[in-house]
Amino acid sequence: MQVGATGKPLTNVVSVGIGGSFLGPLFVHTALQTDPEAAEAAKGRQLRFLANVDPVDVARSIKDLDPATTLVVVVSKTFTTAETMLNARTIKEWIVSSLGPQAVSKHMIAVSTNLKLVKEFGIDPNNAFAFWDWVGGRYSVCSAVGVLPLSLQYGFPIVQKFLEGASSIDNHVHTSSFEKNIPVLLGLLSVWNVSFLGYPARAILPYCQALEKLAPHIQQLSMESNGKGVSIDGVRLPFEAGEIDFGEPGTNGQHSFYQLIHQGRVIPCDFIGVIKSQQPVYLKGETVSNHDELMSNFFAQPDALAYGKTPEQLHSEKVPENLIPHKTFQGNRPSLSFLLSSLSAYEIGQLLSIYEHRIAVQGFIWGINSFDQWGVELGKSLASTVRKQLHASRMEGKPVEGFNPSSASLLTRFLAVKPSTPYDTTVLPKV
């Protein structure tokens, strides 16, 4: 086992990254945590993720951790992402303040394509793991971006099964005819729902708590890839493209937003079920096991969406006349269902790859570039201007200038309150 600067084993890993450097690996980690084989392999270790530049996220990610037993993985393709690098500098200071500057080489490693900046940061380039510079962050889970932190937590044999699952779908896409090609068929259905039927959203509804981070990952994977209004040739699209993705594990979602799905807007749904639970529970005397109770809802919801309930049925049930309009379900609401045999590392890899290829298929049909993300850049450049203003106002007392009236008013109000951190000394989270 690798040891840190004090000779203690490194049993805690904090992975610092944002967007595709965070969401995909977090999804896989969350899905593996309760898989018995993966949990056994991970005994005695813990993996945490730090993404948000909000200092609250820093505090949560290092709470109760000992720097002497913590390894930090900084994940950034360019090593210039503002949020990631500020978080990395903050965690570096946390290590240095406890163990001294010489400890950085023993407690920080990188996943990046920019070895020059890695070295300038203070990380030994020999401790940097590269990946292809043409891989967009949201498609990088199967590179060192995901494989390194996940392997540190679960060991490579578990992660290799995940990679084999993803590879099996890659081969399926490459070799199967369109009529039997799962991601192609799914992509076609999405294009039909969005561009022909005019349904802009899609609900991702895993009936498995281990998949609770699937929807947040697919939000980025889909909406950053296909959230485009211009073709790959630079021509404004004459139709709507891209989907609004959201979701929550069943049955939690049923008690949250299913009302809208059943009787409000038409929202195509992806239902994802698992035949064999990672953590089976049964109480003697109960009608069904806990997992069968969950799956009862998984099987019922698509039927409810498809067939609904007619006024005639409600009349036959002697529902009061004044309630019939409120209890009528129109039906004819689209959904599709995945039924996985189990949820081991292999199936998690398959599920990820299905969505990756499905999204690419949609982009190909829409004629857009699913592998750029120019829409992310404008906010970044404007934030740079605000950052300079905040520095000038805090350090030199300069007034707010050059912003529209609304932003200027908000900035002035923000700056009028004394900051909670003085700008002449280092302040780390109090955890």
Side-chain angles (χ1 to χ4, degrees):
M1 181 176 285
Q2 188 67 33
V3 298
T6 67
K8 292 182 178 179
L10 296 172
T11 55
N12 308 308
V13 172
V14 177
S15 183
V16 183
I18 199 167
S21 300
F22 153 68
L23 290 163
L26 176 64
F27 150 61
V28 178
H29 171 54
T30 306
L32 285 172
Q33 278 182 308
T34 43
D35 170 62
E37 183 183 19
E40 180 65 28
K43 273 188 175 178
R45 296 190 297 278
Q46 63 175 318
L47 170 61
R48 297 184 184 180
F49 292 87
L50 169 58
N52 199 333
V53 75
D54 186 337
V56 169
D57 204 18
V58 178
R60 288 177 174 175
S61 70
I62 61 175
K63 180 176 170 56
D64 299 327
L65 293 187
D66 179 0
T69 60
T70 301
L71 178 69
V72 179
V73 184
V74 183
V75 185
S76 175
K77 183 163 73 171
T78 62
F79 236 61
T80 60
T81 305
E83 301 97 324
T84 296
M85 297 319 299
L86 179 54
N87 278 337
R89 291 190 295 273
T90 304
I91 296 292
K92 180 182 177 181
E93 184 62 32
W94 174 68
I95 291 170
V96 168
S97 65
S98 176
L99 305 175
Q102 77 286 348
V104 172
S105 62
K106 292 271 191 180
H107 289 264
M108 297 191 80
I109 61 178
V111 178
S112 180
T113 62
N114 194 334
L115 295 183
K116 179 176 180 291
L117 290 186
V118 167
K119 184 177 181 180
E120 290 177 6
F121 183 85
I123 295 175
D124 186 343
N126 292 321
N127 292 334
F129 295 75
F131 60 104
W132 303 275
D133 59 6
W134 45 263
V135 175
R138 57 195 178 277
Y139 292 99
S140 66
V141 187
C142 293
S143 74
V145 168
V147 169
L148 178 60
L150 292 168
S151 295
L152 289 169
Q153 176 68 6
Y154 297 103
F156 188 69
I158 295 291
V159 177
Q160 186 170 25
K161 292 179 181 179
F162 161 73
L163 294 173
E164 288 169 354
S167 180
S168 74
I169 298 299
D170 293 346
N171 292 330
H172 166 77
V173 172
H174 183 64
T175 60
S176 298
S177 65
F178 285 171
E179 293 83 357
K180 296 181 179 180
N181 197 305
I182 294 171
V184 168
L185 294 173
L186 294 174
L188 287 168
L189 282 170
S190 286
V191 170
W192 178 251
N193 286 329
V194 171
S195 299
F196 289 85
L197 299 183
Y199 304 146
R202 171 178 59 187
I204 299 169
L205 310 170
Y207 276 68
C208 175
Q209 191 65 29
L211 295 176
E212 65 177 306
K213 296 300 182 181
L214 174 62
H217 175 50
I218 301 306
Q219 281 179 339
Q220 192 215 9
L221 186 62
S222 172
M223 294 199 282
E224 191 167 271
S225 294
N226 292 338
K228 315 287 169 61
V230 175
S231 76
I232 199 168
D233 299 317
V235 178
R236 172 62 57 179
L237 298 176
F239 50 79
E240 296 292 341
E243 285 172 310
I244 302 166
D245 291 280
F246 69 99
E248 186 75 18
T251 57
N252 291 4
Q254 293 176 201
H255 296 268
S256 177
F257 50 77
Y258 276 37
Q259 172 63 45
L260 177 69
I261 290 175
H262 280 292
Q263 290 185 303
R265 294 177 179 271
V266 177
I267 299 175
C269 298
D270 291 0
F271 290 97
I272 304 167
V274 180
I275 294 174
K276 187 177 180 181
S277 175
Q278 288 182 336
Q279 298 290 328
V281 171
Y282 175 67
L283 304 181
K284 185 178 179 180
E286 292 287 344
T287 305
V288 293
S289 69
N290 293 41
H291 185 64
D292 280 356
E293 176 65 29
L294 174 73
M295 293 303 288
S296 296
N297 289 274
F298 167 81
F299 291 113
Q301 290 294 332
D303 278 0
L305 288 168
Y307 296 106
K309 199 159 192 177
T310 66
E312 290 74 22
Q313 290 173 305
L314 295 167
H315 277 118
S316 69
E317 295 173 4
K318 297 185 171 29
V319 172
E321 193 68 34
N322 65 310
L323 291 179
I324 286 178
H326 301 283
K327 291 194 170 188
T328 296
F329 292 77
Q330 291 176 322
N332 196 29
R333 294 177 177 233
S335 71
L336 59 89
S337 297
F338 300 88
L339 187 58
L340 307 178
S341 57
S342 61
L343 193 66
S344 68
Y346 187 86
E347 285 83 12
I348 294 165
Q350 286 186 309
L351 189 60
L352 173 70
S353 188
I354 284 171
Y355 273 97
E356 288 184 340
H357 285 290
R358 172 190 190 170
I359 288 160
V361 167
Q362 291 170 240
F364 297 151
I365 296 171
W366 281 322
I368 60 179
N369 186 351
S370 299
F371 308 100
D372 65 17
Q373 56 280 335
W374 296 112
V376 180
E377 301 303 319
L378 178 59
K380 286 184 178 180
S381 63
L382 293 175
S384 178
T385 303
V386 176
R387 187 183 304 117
K388 292 175 183 176
Q389 177 68 65
L390 291 175
H391 178 81
S393 296
R394 297 282 198 207
M395 303 300 289
E396 303 168 33
K398 290 187 176 180
V400 174
E401 294 178 337
F403 294 89
N404 67 68
S406 175
S407 296
S409 174
L410 287 170
L411 275 167
T412 301
R413 185 177 181 85
F414 178 73
L415 288 162
V417 179
K418 184 179 179 180
S420 53
T421 52
Y423 270 40
D424 58 354
T425 185
T426 296
V427 178
L428 292 173
K430 294 177 176 62
V431 292

